[in-house]
Amino acid sequence: NLDSETTALLLRKRWALYSVTPLYKFSSAHLKAYAKLLSAYIAAEKQKGLAVQVGVELDIKVAISSLPDLKGSDQDEAAILVQLSLRSQASQKKSEEKLVWSGCFCSVCGDDLSKNVSADFTCLPVFLANGAESYTSIVGSWFQEIFDCCFHRLAISPLNLSWMAAMWTGCKVEENASAVELVFSVPNLPQPLDISYAIHPEDAKALWNTVQKTPGEITQEEVDVFMDCLYSHFHRHFKIHLSATKLVKVSAAVASAHCDGIIKFLQSQYIIEVLMLLTELAISQIQ
Amino acid sequence: HLATSLPLPSEGDHLRPRIDLIAFMIDIKSKYSLKNVEASLAHVAANFFLGKVCFLVTGVGRVNYCSVEMSSIWKLGEVYCSPVLYCELELERIRVATAQRLLRMLQICAGHVPGVSALTFSFLLRNS
């Protein structure tokens, strides 16, 4: 189970998703040294004029730490957290630091990838980034240069989003849980049109319970039946075939995901489960 | 002749030439297109499935837009003993190549190529 600090770091933030190939000769014993090197790299980029902040003399402080509880099995590497904070050069007080960017490398049940690579590589296929895109690309370039890895934006297909919709609907809902919301984008129109379909969480769960045969197990067939029920219900009322549109966003009490590769964790007890699914998606993109 | 679904309207029956090949188009981005094809298949006479039917899957270039599982399409090809072809409509090169392929298939299905029957050709396509 995750401790509250890790949970607070991850919950309710908008994380951009990336898949990362294994890192070469990365060691969790040298995190402080890596932080210093990354800090120097960012300062150098700033000199080149590629920095984000202009005007005020602000330092970027880099902190790299390990999150040992953020993993699935013992074979998983402990997650690595990278944080960039802004600190005014005049003040050395820690309280005046402002966290501007966070990045997290993690792996939850990523055995499919780690069993095929040599011991020199560290497998942390999922990368979560929160903060300005410019910082993400600077940190990404540094890691790619030093550890010979590759970052790729992890998009989520409508097929995988429907899987998430079914999975998250089935999770235990507490009182006053938010609605299950599906957002569809309609193609081939002169003006873009988005359709938002919100379902009461109790109703959605009741539907899923009639579809799912074995608790704890989900099959593609069950996901298809679940989605077809939702589509035919919508068609009955609005005469629109949602199956001809593109599912772009799924939102439930547990988490929300967007096809561009954006995730938001909303309940602490399901963070690991969601990360497990993301690890699977990242690994299939890498392989 | 293009149609959005089967059966074809009976009004045009007497004007319609003989049908030698039916290509069912499935857009991998639209679950609806798969359901539509599945419903239309029920209206096809059994003798067409001896090499005169093929499935054309479009939109395969963009994996992240997938709304249909490839395995359900392969299953369809297996169940109906018909080949599955792939096409990326957005690229002209591939569009032209696919059109040429279909024309070639049509020639064989219409019996214009001596020595090759529709059945043997589809058998070759499915097993390659």
Side-chain angles (χ1 to χ4, degrees), chain B:
Chain B
H1 184 90
L2 273 179
T4 52
S5 70
L6 293 179
L8 294 174
S10 52
E11 300 93 59
D13 264 348
H14 58 290
L15 296 168
R16 212 173 286 126
R18 185 187 71 200
I19 295 177
D20 289 314
L21 173 67
I22 305 179
F24 286 99
M25 293 183 66
I26 302 172
D27 183 357
I28 212 166
K29 305 192 293 293
S30 164
K31 193 97 192 280
Y32 177 68
S33 71
L34 178 64
K35 289 262 173 311
N36 193 14
V37 164
E38 284 172 343
S40 300
L41 279 164
H43 296 280
V44 177
N47 61 305
F48 271 97
F49 295 109
L50 295 171
K52 300 200 177 179
V53 169
C54 76
F55 296 102
L56 185 63
V57 184
T58 63
V60 282
R62 306 215 189 162
V63 180
N64 288 322
Y65 279 58
C66 252
S67 286
V68 176
E69 272 231 322
M70 272 316 296
S71 56
S72 14
I73 300 182
W74 292 331
K75 193 149 164 256
L76 211 59
E78 253 177 58
V79 167
Y80 287 95
C81 304
S82 300
V84 179
L85 303 175
Y86 305 94
C87 177
E88 185 47 71
L89 289 176
E90 290 169 29
L91 297 172
E92 198 190 328
R93 223 173 9 99
I94 300 183
R95 264 202 326 260
V96 169
T98 309
Q100 286 171 338
R101 261 184 110 179
L102 284 173
L103 264 179
R104 192 72 186 139
M105 274 183 79
L106 182 57
Q107 277 181 312
I108 294 171
C109 291
H112 291 312
V113 180
V116 186
S117 77
L119 192 53
T120 30
F121 188 65
S122 82
F123 183 71
L124 283 173
L125 272 182
R126 279 191 296 131
N127 289 325
S128 61

Side-chain angles (χ1 to χ4, degrees), chain A residues 16 30 53 55 103 110 125 165 187 214 238 259 279:
Chain A
H30 301 142
Q53 293 282 57
T214 325
F238 300 103
C259 65
T279 306

Side-chain angles (χ1 to χ4, degrees), chain A residues 24-25 34 37 41 140-149:
Chain A
Y24 184 65
K25 290 231 165 28
Y34 295 152
L37 289 171
Y41 181 79
S141 317
W142 185 79
F143 271 91
Q144 289 185 126
E145 226 176 88
I146 305 292
F147 302 108
D148 204 24
C149 60

Side-chain angles (χ1 to χ4, degrees), chain A residues 234-259:
Chain A
F234 195 85
H235 182 252
R236 220 175 300 133
H237 289 270
F238 300 103
K239 297 286 175 274
I240 293 178
H241 288 286
L242 286 176
S243 51
T245 64
K246 182 185 174 201
L247 178 58
V248 295
K249 185 173 175 199
V250 168
S251 224
V254 165
S256 85
H258 189 279
C259 65

